[in-house]
């Protein structure tokens, strides 16, 4: 492969002195130039330790004859931004981080990349950038934190209990203060660890690197291996676009179904696929979830913290159990196929050795990763709903079976805050369907509706009697009958915009339906409901734009729908 770094040195003589001023030696100038891009910063536990992985990756690059340079674009923390206007920047930050990698790589004339991140928007951002730039690339997952007491997604639950005076402040403060005991990504299978896992399934991360304990020596060794490997990829002319194929994305959807992955992955996969010239389809997601069993017993849908998943054999063990469902001929950054990687791990005894870790917790592999023959559920974790309201997504693995079929009267709110106030002030009753609109990409940046979902799912009066519909999205930790990503969104003139209080909403997870079936508290025929919806839409006018300037002004003007991935057009 012709080295871009060397071509540009011949064209622009200023490059050499500028690189030398950054600490490179004259010998370094002739080596393959490797961008080591991370989201390192003091923003949250998932990024604060990444400097150690940067050092390891750089060591590996030097060992293999490359010349690394480190660049940064720090991500934000969804947990810190949660419930505030800062959360509106979350999905947008994916676009910004991907853009930063793009201009760093292109303006710096690099020959390959090591991308290091671990959290909700940074991992998909780096995968978007890898797909866009089509360079030799290895992705390094940032790993998972330890667990001492509760895991972070339970903090919203205990906060709701505190507000209802079910626990005291002393207990609340103790649990909250120890929910994040170490560096690393939060220890539940939310968006961050879902996307780490899918990066490995797609073939851009080295096998066994996703969901690795962030405090372990193993994660640093894997980062060093990634640095070594990226230089080899340049020699082999193995670029990211050769790895990110239609079949690789299908594998990602299969594993996503089996692990009970975050619904937010269905925002990120379309954005990554778009960069590869591939079309994402919710119908494909629906078909895969019908066929693939749900087998991973990890919080929030299961019992165990996410560290146990890696001890049980990690993503590769999940793929081993799903071998008959997967496309095993997909190429990966190892230079081998998905199937060949699994065969090598089996041959070297990797899976047997990992069981030793679980014994410390009195667990066996089957306690964490079930077999495909004896799954937690026969079908995958995601249900795609369609109906006269639009298209929506729900994680059925986190829904009580009593709520698989629900009919209730609408209670409509134009913001998460208004809905949350109504819950805590006792203005919501069992049997109602909370509608939260104008929270989609074009309206508000598509923030998570985390506190509303926690307030409902943690309350025994409501967790089997109240549903939530929104054009916003949910945390990867969300539980309960929460249908998000409604498309078309309210701001774009979707039906959600014209639903009124006391309209009757019907949700059926088994039949995959999401419909308005009545108005004014009265059930009506399909034709009558259709007529009411069309009449309301004919006079609908969207509210004034909330953001006219700045990043959110730019994003909300150009955001695509949730169904398309919420990317910036």
């Amino acid at each position: 492969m012709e080295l871009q770094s060397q071509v540009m040195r011949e064209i622009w003589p200023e490059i050499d002195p500028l690189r030398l001023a950054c600490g490179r030696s004259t010998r370094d100038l002739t080596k393959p130039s490797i961008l080591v891009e991370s989201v390192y910063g003091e923003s949250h536990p998932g990024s604060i330790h990444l400097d150690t992985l940067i050092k390891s990756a750089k060591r590996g690059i030097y060992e293999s004859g490359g010349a690394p340079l480190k660049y940064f674009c720090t991500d934000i923390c969804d947990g810190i931004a949660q419930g505030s206007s800062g959360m509106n920047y979350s999905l947008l930050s994916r676009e910004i981080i991907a853009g930063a990698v793009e201009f760093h790589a292109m303006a710096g004339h690099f020959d390959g990349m090591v991308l290091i991140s671990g959290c909700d928007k940074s991992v998909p951002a780096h995968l978007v950038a890898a797909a866009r730039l089509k360079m030799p690339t290895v992705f390094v997952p940032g790993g998972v934190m330890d667990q001492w007491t509760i895991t972070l997604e339970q903090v919203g639950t205990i906060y709701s209990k505190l507000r209802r005076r079910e626990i005291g402040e002393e207990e609340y403060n103790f649990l909250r203060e120890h929910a994040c005991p170490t560096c690393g990504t939060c220890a539940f299978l939310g968006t961050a660890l879902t996307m780490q896992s899918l990066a490995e399934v797609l073939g851009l991360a080295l096998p066994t690197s996703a969901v690795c304990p962030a405090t372990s020596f193993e994660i640093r060794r894997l980062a060093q291996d990634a640095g070594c490997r990226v230089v080899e990829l340049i020699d082999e002319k193995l670029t990211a676009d050769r790895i990110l194929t239609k079949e690789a994305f299908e594998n990602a959807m299969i594993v996503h179904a089996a692990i009970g992955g975050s619904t937010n992955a269905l925002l990120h996969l379309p954005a990554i696929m778009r960069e590869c010239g591939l079309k994402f389809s919710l119908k494909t997601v629906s078909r895969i979830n019908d066929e693939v069993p749900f087998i991973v017993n990890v919080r929030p849908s299961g019992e165990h913290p996410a560290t146990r998943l890696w001890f049980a054999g990690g993503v590769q063990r999940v793929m081993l159990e799903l071998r008959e469902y997967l496309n095993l001929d997909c190429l990966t950054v190892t230079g081998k196929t998905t199937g060949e990687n699994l065969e090598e791990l089996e041959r070297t005894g990797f899976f047997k050795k990992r069981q030793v870790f679980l014994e410390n917790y009195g667990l066996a592999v089957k306690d964490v990763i079930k077999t495909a023959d004896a799954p937690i559920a026969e079908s995958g974790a995601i249900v795609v709903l369609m109906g006269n309201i639009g298209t929506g997504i729900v994680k059925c693995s986190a829904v009580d079976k009593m709520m698989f079929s629900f009919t209730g009267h609408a209670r409509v709110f134009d913001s998460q805050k208004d809905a949350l106030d109504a819950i805590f002030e006792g203005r919501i009753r069992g049997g109602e369907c909370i509608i939260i609109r104008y929270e989609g990409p074009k309206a508000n940046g598509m923030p998570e509706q985390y506190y509303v979902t926690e307030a409902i799912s943690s309350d025994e009066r409501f967790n089997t009697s109240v549903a939530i519909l929104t054009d916003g999205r949910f945390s990867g930790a969300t539980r309960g009958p929460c249908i998000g990503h409604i498309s078309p969104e309210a701001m774009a003139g979707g039906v959600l915009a014209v639903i009124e209080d006391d309209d009757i909403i019907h949700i059926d997870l088994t039949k995959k339906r999401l419909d308005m079936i009545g108005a004014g508290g009265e059930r009506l025929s399909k034709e009558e409901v259709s007529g009411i919806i069309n009449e309301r839409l004919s006079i609908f006018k969207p509210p004034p734009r909330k953001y006219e300037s700045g990043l959110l002004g730019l994003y909300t003007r150009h955001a695509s729908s949730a169904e398309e991935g919420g990317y910036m057009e």
Side-chain angles (χ1 to χ4, degrees):
M1 175 179 282
E2 185 177 44
L3 297 179
Q4 179 72 2
S5 60
Q6 302 309 309
V7 171
M8 298 311 296
R9 286 182 66 218
E10 296 298 322
I11 297 173
W12 301 109
E14 296 91 346
I15 290 176
D16 281 9
L18 290 167
R19 289 297 196 214
L20 291 168
C22 292
R24 278 193 171 171
S25 69
T26 53
R27 293 186 302 278
D28 288 339
L29 297 176
T30 63
K31 299 175 182 177
S33 186
I34 309 298
L35 170 63
V36 181
E37 176 93 25
S38 79
V39 290
Y40 166 69
E42 297 181 347
S43 51
H44 55 87
S47 291
I48 198 167
H49 66 300
L50 297 184
D51 57 335
T52 63
L53 303 187
I54 293 166
K55 291 175 184 175
S56 296
K58 289 181 67 177
R59 188 179 304 118
I61 292 166
Y62 276 125
E63 284 179 1
S64 290
L69 284 174
K70 59 182 179 182
Y71 283 51
F72 308 98
C73 180
T74 301
D75 57 347
I76 64 172
C77 178
D78 282 8
I80 292 172
Q82 196 67 256
S84 72
S85 60
M87 193 63 188
N88 300 346
Y89 289 88
S90 176
L91 186 56
L92 161 63
S93 72
R94 181 191 69 188
E95 307 299 294
I96 301 299
I97 294 168
V101 177
E102 179 183 355
F103 68 70
H104 287 162
M106 299 307 292
H109 313 305
F110 288 100
D111 304 307
M113 303 188 295
V114 174
L115 305 176
I116 306 173
S117 59
C119 282
D120 295 40
K121 304 308 170 301
S122 56
V123 177
H126 281 174
L127 297 179
V128 165
R132 182 180 298 167
L133 295 172
K134 300 173 176 56
M135 296 170 62
T137 303
V138 182
F139 174 73
V140 177
V144 60
M145 68 172 57
D146 295 337
Q147 184 228 3
W148 290 359
T149 55
I150 63 172
T151 47
L152 187 69
E153 90 283 6
Q154 296 172 279
V155 170
T157 299
I158 63 169
Y159 174 66
S160 295
K161 288 183 177 181
L162 177 71
R163 289 194 62 164
R164 291 194 298 268
R165 300 182 181 178
E166 294 173 10
I167 62 171
E169 280 202 32
E170 185 175 346
E171 180 183 2
Y172 167 73
N173 286 331
F174 173 80
L175 292 172
R176 185 182 60 160
E177 288 168 11
H178 293 88
C180 295
T182 70
C183 64
T185 294
C186 300
F188 58 90
L189 199 54
T191 307
L193 293 182
T194 295
M195 294 309 300
Q196 284 191 29
S197 300
L198 299 191
E200 185 173 321
V201 178
L202 286 168
L204 281 186
L206 290 175
T208 78
S209 60
V211 201
C212 184
T215 55
S216 70
F217 71 87
E218 184 79 9
I219 195 170
R220 295 191 294 275
R221 188 163 62 195
L222 286 162
Q224 186 169 340
D225 290 344
C228 291
R229 185 61 192 144
V230 73
V231 180
E232 297 168 352
L233 291 180
I234 294 170
D235 293 335
E236 296 168 16
K237 302 179 181 179
L238 182 49
T239 52
D241 54 306
R242 291 181 57 198
I243 294 169
L244 295 174
T245 62
K246 177 177 178 290
E247 292 75 19
F249 283 106
E250 186 170 284
N251 283 349
M253 294 177 204
I254 290 167
V255 171
H256 180 264
I259 66 177
S262 166
T263 53
N264 286 316
L266 303 182
L267 282 171
H268 303 316
L269 287 175
I272 302 164
M273 292 178 70
R274 174 175 174 264
E275 300 293 343
C276 300
L278 298 172
K279 184 70 175 176
F280 175 82
S281 168
L282 282 175
K283 289 183 179 178
T284 301
V285 172
S286 184
R287 172 183 61 79
I288 287 172
N289 276 268
D290 285 345
E291 298 171 354
V292 175
F294 170 43
I295 63 172
V296 173
N297 186 18
V298 169
R299 296 192 59 85
S301 297
E303 301 175 88
H304 303 293
T307 48
R308 309 296 191 267
L309 176 58
W310 191 78
F311 294 151
V315 174
Q316 295 298 313
R317 181 63 188 234
V318 175
M319 294 171 74
L320 187 70
E321 295 294 342
L322 299 172
R323 186 154 41 183
E324 65 181 70
Y325 296 93
L326 295 170
N327 303 295
L328 296 176
D329 294 331
C330 292
L331 196 59
T332 73
V333 288
T334 64
K336 301 173 184 176
T337 66
T338 296
E340 289 169 339
N341 289 337
L342 290 172
E343 288 172 4
E344 182 173 343
L345 290 171
E346 281 192 292
R347 179 178 55 79
T348 57
F350 170 82
F351 297 116
K352 290 183 179 179
K353 294 171 186 174
R354 277 292 179 270
Q355 297 177 104
V356 175
F357 297 121
L358 280 181
E359 291 172 4
N360 292 323
Y361 302 97
L363 297 172
V365 171
K366 65 180 181 180
D367 295 320
V368 181
I369 303 174
K370 308 293 184 181
T371 65
D373 293 334
I376 299 168
E378 295 292 337
S379 56
I382 299 296
V383 172
V384 179
L385 304 173
M386 298 182 183
N388 62 18
I389 293 175
T391 301
I393 294 169
V394 62
K395 186 192 284 191
C396 65
S397 60
V399 180
D400 191 292
K401 292 195 182 301
M402 290 177 61
M403 293 294 286
F404 272 39
S405 180
F406 169 88
T407 301
H409 290 222
R411 291 293 307 279
V412 181
F413 303 93
D414 288 348
S415 74
Q416 177 178 198
K417 181 183 181 303
D418 289 346
L420 193 62
D421 288 344
I423 294 168
F424 286 128
E425 291 169 9
R427 291 186 278 119
I428 298 296
R429 299 186 300 273
E432 293 183 324
C433 182
I434 296 173
I435 308 288
I436 308 175
R437 61 192 180 194
Y438 300 114
E439 297 284 12
K442 292 183 180 296
N444 210 23
M446 205 179 181
E448 293 177 357
Q449 310 299 297
Y450 178 69
Y451 288 119
V452 171
T453 61
E454 278 301 306
I456 293 298
S457 64
S458 66
D459 192 326
E460 292 182 359
R461 296 172 301 163
F462 295 148
N463 58 20
T464 56
S465 67
V466 172
I468 301 172
L469 296 186
T470 181
D471 51 7
R473 60 191 177 89
F474 297 119
S475 163
T478 291
R479 300 165 292 146
C482 307
I483 293 91
H485 302 206
I486 304 281
S487 298
E489 64 175 282
M491 194 69 177
V495 173
L496 207 67
V498 296
I499 292 177
E500 298 177 357
D501 281 346
D502 223 25
D503 287 346
I504 301 176
I505 308 299
H506 180 65
I507 301 164
D508 193 318
L509 302 194
T510 303
K511 295 181 180 179
K512 303 178 183 177
R513 295 296 305 179
L514 175 62
D515 295 288
M516 175 179 157
I517 62 170
E522 181 183 355
R523 290 194 184 221
L524 301 170
S525 68
K526 288 183 180 180
E527 293 74 17
E528 289 172 318
V529 170
S530 179
I532 290 170
I533 288 173
N534 290 334
E535 182 181 352
R536 292 177 183 177
L537 286 174
S538 70
I539 59 173
F540 168 74
K541 291 183 180 179
R545 292 175 53 82
K546 188 173 181 180
Y547 302 100
E548 293 292 349
S549 62
L551 287 173
L552 279 170
L554 180 68
Y555 178 71
T556 55
R557 279 196 302 275
H558 296 281
S560 67
S561 71
E563 190 173 355
E564 295 174 316
Y567 60 81
M568 198 157 60
E569 298 179 286

